[in-house]
Amino acid sequence: VKDGLDCAWFRETYGDTEDTFAPVLSDLENLGMLKRSGNRLLPTPLGFEYADAIGPVVYSSDMTLRMQEFEPS
């Protein structure tokens, strides 16, 4: 988490998701929870405090469904 997200890797791995995630990432930046450094998005100290809440915000709908269906053993 502390190394942030490599935006180029994310785009190569998941395709162009700019339309999906740009608004929420911009909001998180404006709230002071994320900052850009080159091609990376990094959590700020405030972002670390809310990391458990930030992660699910950028989950795909498929991932959200999978997590809802998961039953721990």
Side-chain angles (χ1 to χ4, degrees), residues 20-43:
T20 304
F21 294 111
V24 71
L25 295 177
S26 179
D27 287 346
L28 292 169
E29 283 184 87
N30 291 335
L31 291 169
M33 294 183 177
L34 293 178
K35 65 180 179 180
R36 291 189 185 269
S37 178
N39 195 39
R40 299 188 83 77
L41 278 172
L42 302 163

Side-chain angles (χ1 to χ4, degrees), residues 29-69:
E29 283 184 87
N30 291 335
L31 291 169
M33 294 183 177
L34 293 178
K35 65 180 179 180
R36 291 189 185 269
S37 178
N39 195 39
R40 299 188 83 77
L41 278 172
L42 302 163
T44 64
L46 180 62
F48 273 117
E49 289 183 39
Y50 291 94
D52 289 344
I54 292 173
V57 169
V58 294
Y59 289 169
S60 68
S61 56
D62 184 49
M63 177 58 75
T64 302
L65 181 61
R66 287 182 189 180
M67 292 182 69
Q68 291 171 347
E69 292 173 348

